[in-house]
Every structure is written in structure tokens, then in C-alpha cells.
Amino acid sequence: MKIIEIYDDNYSKDKVYNRVRNAARAVIVDSGRIFVEYAKAQPIIMLPGGGVEIGESKEECVVRECREECGLIVKPIKQLFVIKEFYKDVLFNSSYILCKVEGSCQSSPTQGEKQLAIKSFYQDVRIVYNDLKRILDSLDDKESELYGMNYREYLAANEILNNVQNII
């Protein structure tokens, strides 16, 4: 399994991270398109997913997050890759898991997700990749959380784009 690493300017191989956040993101593919979430309130594009809760597996997390965020009932198939982000005071581990849609349900987004006015739909992976590139090019603060989130998803879209034949 491939691991993609992102380092900030403060990275040191000897650094111990006291805060580690594990997350899982769903890679849902249909005819070369991927299921994505575009936020209207801020320039954010992401795959459905979020933080793994205590006692929860990555697979359980991705199932829960898909239900909550976009009203999809998914079945995890396999983990495709991991993106590790080494920042000043926290290490983020995001597992990207290929999922199959098995049904739908009523979504129950968090207040924060509602404020972002997220719209979820299938989009050609090349368009997602190019939209993320445009967002990154437009952001001045390369150290911001907003930049980091979009950069992580840009790398994920690139990995999916380069391996879409193997993923389907």
C-alpha cells in the first residue's frame, strides 16, 4: 500500500507528535467519476470522510461518515493509500478506502458541515484534480489549514487519477 507524506517547514525525523488524528475517506468510483463534496461557503473540495472516533475502525468510520455527510450507505472494499501530514504540532493519517455504494439514507451533517453548504455529487476525476489545482493556485497562505486540506485532496485526486484503471 502506498503512503504519501506531506511535511511542513518544522519537520524533523526525530520529532515526536503528541497529537495524532486518524481519518478515513471514501473513494467511491462510478464510470471514471468519483463522489466528491464541494463546499460553497469556502473553497474546499474533499472526498467524504472524517476523523476516526475512539474504538472505531477506519472502515467503520468511513461507513458512518458517508451516512452522516452525504446519505450514502457504503461497503468498504479495500484501503488504497494513506496520506500522512506532518505539521507543527499534529500528525494526520488519512486512509483512503475504496467503497461500494449499497443504498441511501437520510444524511445528518454536523453544524460545521451545514455552514460550509456542502454539495455532494459524482464528478470526473480530472475535473476534480483541475478544480483543486485552481484552488491551490488562488490561495496566498500556503501554511493555512484551508490550503493543507485542499493540498491533501489534490494529492489524493492525483493518486486516483493515475490509478483509476486499477481502482475500478
Side-chain angles (χ1 to χ4, degrees):
M1 178 192 45
K2 184 171 185 175
I3 297 175
I4 300 166
E5 296 179 334
I6 302 170
Y7 303 98
D8 72 0
D9 293 338
N10 300 309
Y11 176 75
S12 164
K13 67 179 182 173
D14 300 322
K15 184 171 183 159
V16 175
Y17 290 88
N18 295 322
R19 287 185 47 219
V20 177
R21 182 173 188 270
N22 296 309
R25 301 225 160 260
V27 178
I28 303 168
V29 180
D30 180 26
S31 303
R33 301 175 305 149
I34 58 174
F35 194 82
V36 292
E37 299 176 327
Y38 278 68
K40 293 180 183 179
Q42 287 190 31
I44 300 172
I45 301 172
M46 60 194 148
L47 297 180
V52 176
E53 295 179 354
I54 295 172
E56 184 177 57
S57 71
K58 294 176 282 194
E59 292 78 12
E60 291 167 333
C61 173
V62 82
V63 168
R64 175 182 52 77
E65 289 286 354
C66 285
R67 281 179 173 269
E68 290 174 1
E69 289 180 10
C70 40
L72 293 179
I73 299 168
V74 300
K75 176 182 178 182
I77 306 299
K78 69 178 179 177
Q79 184 170 314
L80 299 172
F81 56 92
V82 172
I83 297 181
K84 297 173 89 73
E85 300 169 81
F86 299 87
Y87 292 120
K88 181 179 171 183
D89 59 350
V90 64
L91 167 61
F92 292 98
N93 293 307
S94 296
S95 297
Y96 287 78
I97 300 171
L98 180 64
C99 295
K100 176 183 175 188
V101 175
E102 295 195 321
S104 62
C105 62
Q106 181 64 42
S107 64
S108 56
T110 65
Q111 191 60 29
E113 290 163 347
K114 288 178 186 176
Q115 289 174 343
L116 287 173
I118 293 174
K119 182 178 178 188
S120 304
F121 54 93
Y122 285 96
Q123 180 67 280
D124 184 289
V125 68
R126 289 176 296 272
I127 293 172
V128 173
Y129 177 83
N130 289 329
D131 287 350
L132 283 159
K133 176 85 169 86
R134 273 192 290 281
I135 289 172
L136 293 173
D137 289 344
S138 73
L139 295 173
D140 293 329
D141 185 0
K142 307 300 185 213
E143 298 297 317
S144 71
E145 184 177 348
L146 183 62
Y147 186 90
M149 290 170 48
N150 283 294
Y151 184 61
R152 178 194 66 226
E153 297 302 273
Y154 172 76
L155 293 177
N158 184 57
E159 185 67 17
I160 294 164
L161 184 60
N162 290 330
N163 294 291
V164 74
Q165 295 306 320
N166 298 329
I167 291 172
I168 299 172

